[in-house]
Amino acid sequence: KGAVAVLQEKKVKVAPVGPAAPKGGGIRFPITGGVVNSETLAGSIAHSGGLKLSVGGETLVVTNFVANTKAGVLTATAGAAEIPLLALDFTGLKKSTKGGAIVASGITTTLTDYAASAMNGILGVTFFEEGLAAARASGRAVFEPIALRTRAPCRSRTATTRHGPRFWYFWPSGW
């Protein structure tokens, strides 16, 4: 069972926190910055917006997602704490380029043990658990090369996001 099925079964309301917004059956989280290797995608990607989860009169808001693709974790701010929210699995990663953008798909996510425990405690429930399939993620980002200071000429494969259309989509499993 995935997170969406559990949330629906347990009547947990989920809403995007702006500027995140619904799109195509999923939720779009705008990218605000980051630095990644353009070939391996190793690095970090910061997002704005978040999610609001409500059940039984209790509410949890998680915002400011940062995907650390090298460590395979997506962190979020919950209250004043930064928590490891989702484990990122890139084994099914498909990467392409389209219109000057890097397009990544086939990324799966699961709830971390820390996040499951925090969510259960804050929302007063017991049904969140580590490894719960959270979402399939895909993204489109426009990157530009950044210069590295070196003594010898070299070609950098590191890129940083630039202004323009750039979004990371999390397509919740089953939505």
Side-chain angles (χ1 to χ4, degrees), residues 25-171:
I27 299 174
R28 179 183 74 177
F29 300 92
I31 292 175
T32 57
V35 177
V36 298
N37 179 298
S38 61
E39 289 188 12
T40 65
L41 299 184
S44 66
I45 304 168
H47 306 79
S48 59
L51 294 172
K52 178 181 176 180
L53 294 90
S54 304
V55 63
E58 300 297 331
T59 299
L60 170 65
V61 177
V62 288
T63 58
N64 303 318
F65 300 149
V66 177
N68 181 329
T69 59
K70 190 171 182 178
V73 67
L74 181 128
T75 58
T77 302
E82 182 178 305
I83 64 167
L85 183 64
L86 300 173
L88 306 173
D89 181 356
F90 293 93
T91 56
L93 175 67
K94 293 180 181 108
K95 185 184 83 146
S96 63
T97 56
K98 185 176 181 179
I102 295 173
V103 179
S105 61
I107 304 161
T108 57
T109 66
T110 55
L111 203 57
T112 68
D113 180 52
Y114 188 93
S117 178
M119 292 168 75
N120 284 331
I122 292 167
L123 295 173
V125 297
T126 59
F127 48 79
F128 291 107
E129 57 187 42
E130 178 183 17
L132 184 64
R136 288 182 298 271
S138 63
R140 177 182 186 279
V142 178
F143 291 91
E144 64 184 22
I146 58 172
L148 299 177
R149 292 181 187 208
T150 62
R151 293 180 186 217
C154 71
R155 288 182 43 170
S156 170
R157 292 190 177 117
T158 303
T160 185
T161 59
R162 67 172 170 84
H163 296 291
R166 55 196 195 275
F167 299 100
W168 197 264
Y169 298 93
F170 282 85
W171 301 104

